[in-house]
Amino acid sequence: ASEMCIRARRYASDDFPAPLGGRVVAPERWVPLPHVGLPLALGREVDPGEFNPNVIVTVSRIRAEQTLDDAHAEVLRKLRPMPRLRELDGGEVDVDGLPGRWLEASFKGGGGTVLVQAVRTVVVPRGPVADLVQTTGTCTLTQHPWAAAEIRAVQESLRVDR
């Protein structure tokens, strides 16, 4: 009689690494938004009824062979259908010592408000897999003159535990 060999596979392990941890620095008047259910989310305190400028950090497990180009193309694919989309700027960026990409675009959000979104994307190799880390900052077009620098400061402060 042949015996079947059954092995338990564990998460987290070398084959299945735990999700990345990370941290950002919150400028004055930026507060945690734990209720949004994301790995990291900060919002700026504003007057009641105003749009909350915010920065969110998401971490997604991807195949090791997926490239930064693939990840950036996916950002563009998701943004392109947005109403009145205008790509404002973008390029290459260092994200905690890793090569990243960034894109800033404006589009019409809910209630006709024009939003500006800045997205930074980096792929972090994790052995047999990789983690895609995206830092997305959002504010309204009218907030952009003062909020953009604060959003950029939060995005630039990102450090990933690896």
Side-chain angles (χ1 to χ4, degrees):
S2 65
E3 288 184 31
M4 261 175 70
C5 183
I6 299 172
R7 271 190 232 149
R9 296 292 179 202
R10 182 176 176 79
Y11 174 79
S13 66
D14 288 345
D15 288 328
F16 305 100
L20 274 176
R23 62 192 179 283
V24 294
V25 176
E28 198 172 321
R29 298 188 65 193
W30 284 75
V31 297
L33 302 174
H35 61 277
V36 298
L38 294 169
L40 264 173
L42 299 176
R44 187 172 192 290
E45 294 173 327
V46 290
D47 292 332
E50 280 187 44
F51 180 85
N52 236 137
N54 61 79
V55 176
I56 62 168
V57 179
T58 58
V59 180
S60 312
R61 181 62 35 99
I62 59 174
R63 289 185 166 104
E65 64 269 13
Q66 278 190 268
T67 66
L68 183 58
D69 287 342
D70 297 334
H72 187 67
E74 181 67 12
V75 170
L76 292 170
R77 192 186 66 73
K78 286 179 179 171
L79 275 174
R80 291 239 157 88
M82 301 305 279
R84 301 233 177 112
L85 179 75
R86 286 183 52 217
E87 288 181 35
L88 304 174
D89 208 349
E92 297 179 0
V93 64
D94 178 283
V95 179
D96 193 15
L98 294 166
R101 290 278 177 78
W102 70 280
L103 174 73
E104 190 170 271
S106 66
F107 55 88
K108 203 169 191 176
T113 305
V114 177
L115 298 176
V116 180
Q117 202 161 68
V119 184
R120 289 181 183 223
T121 303
V122 64
V123 174
V124 182
R126 309 288 313 280
V129 295
D131 282 337
L132 171 64
V133 181
Q134 288 183 313
T135 311
T136 303
T138 309
C139 64
T140 68
L141 189 60
T142 53
Q143 293 167 332
H144 191 260
W146 58 265
E150 294 181 17
I151 286 170
R152 198 171 305 113
V154 174
Q155 290 179 314
E156 288 172 355
S157 77
L158 177 70
R159 297 296 173 265
V160 289
D161 304 331
R162 54 184 193 278

